[in-house]
Amino acid sequence: SPPAPDRGTVLRFVERAGALAAAPGFSNPAGVLPGLADADPRFDGTSIPAYSDHWVSNVADRAGFLRTLADALGFAPKVDFNAGVISAGAASIESTVVGNAPPALLFTELDSLRDQTQVFLPVNNALSPAGHVHAFLAEIGQGVQHVASRVADLVAFVERVTNYRGMTGGGLAFLDIPRSRCRRALPCRVSCAARAP
């Protein structure tokens, strides 16, 4: 028999028309969301541009949510990690990255950094009563776990915001990763070095 319909997912659609529609000179060629205004970003040397990359959802029924995204948005799997199953210690999850079929090919590094036509939505569900996905679902329920941005130089970004937080006490905070865990991960080494005495 066919799977039961998904009655728990809420997708909000925004018609980008009128004042919300794209216009010549807009920073975002797709237009803006309600409540927001288009702004030409200016970076003064003390800030680093960051662009939307992906947002991760934790759900109880990954297969059902993936069907809903396919039926409603035409999203298809892009990456299925290790046939969908990831384990770390007692924690075990399934994870699939879905997304749209973007209309344009990108040819430059700047275009691939700034372009927002490709949407990536990693979707996780817990397979064990341990780990961050299980805890998220138990404590918060289904929803967006995190939003990620992309930057041109991750090492410079991590170093700058770590130093800024150290000087001002405000801004972004990163996980405190012990030096023994940094190994060969360059951004981690920079972050650890920035906290070194």
Side-chain angles (χ1 to χ4, degrees):
S1 69
D6 179 351
R7 299 194 187 281
T9 301
V10 176
L11 299 174
R12 291 190 171 93
F13 294 92
V14 175
E15 182 179 357
R16 293 183 176 179
L20 303 177
F26 257 32
S27 300
N28 183 348
V32 296
L33 294 174
L36 301 177
D38 185 66
D40 184 24
R42 299 192 194 288
F43 301 99
D44 60 5
T46 62
S47 57
I48 296 175
Y51 304 91
S52 177
D53 187 73
H54 69 272
W55 58 96
V56 175
S57 293
N58 290 335
V59 299
D61 179 5
R62 184 181 59 94
F65 187 60
L66 294 176
R67 279 193 304 274
T68 298
L69 293 175
D71 293 346
L73 303 175
F75 283 13
K78 301 291 183 184
V79 180
D80 212 7
F81 292 99
N82 297 326
V85 179
I86 303 170
S87 295
S92 185
I93 67 170
E94 292 178 304
S95 185
T96 300
V97 177
V98 296
N100 63 330
L105 294 175
L106 305 174
F107 296 102
T108 70
E109 184 176 337
L110 183 60
D111 285 344
S112 63
L113 179 67
R114 297 178 67 179
D115 185 81
Q116 301 293 294
T117 56
Q118 174 66 70
V119 176
F120 291 112
L121 300 175
V123 179
N124 303 326
N125 70 281
L127 295 176
S128 68
H132 71 284
V133 175
H134 173 77
F136 183 99
L137 292 168
E139 293 175 23
I140 298 171
Q142 300 187 102
V144 175
Q145 177 196 51
H146 72 263
V147 176
S149 298
R150 64 181 98 127
V151 295
D153 186 339
L154 181 60
V155 173
F157 179 81
V158 169
E159 186 171 31
R160 170 136 348 146
V161 299
T162 299
N163 291 339
Y164 180 85
R165 185 167 181 80
M167 291 183 283
T168 67
L172 297 175
F174 294 94
L175 294 175
D176 191 18
I177 302 171
R179 286 182 164 278
S180 62
R181 297 287 306 273
C182 287
R183 295 194 185 110
R184 299 184 188 275
L186 184 56
C188 180
R189 283 203 318 260
V190 169
S191 181
C192 287
R195 286 193 294 272

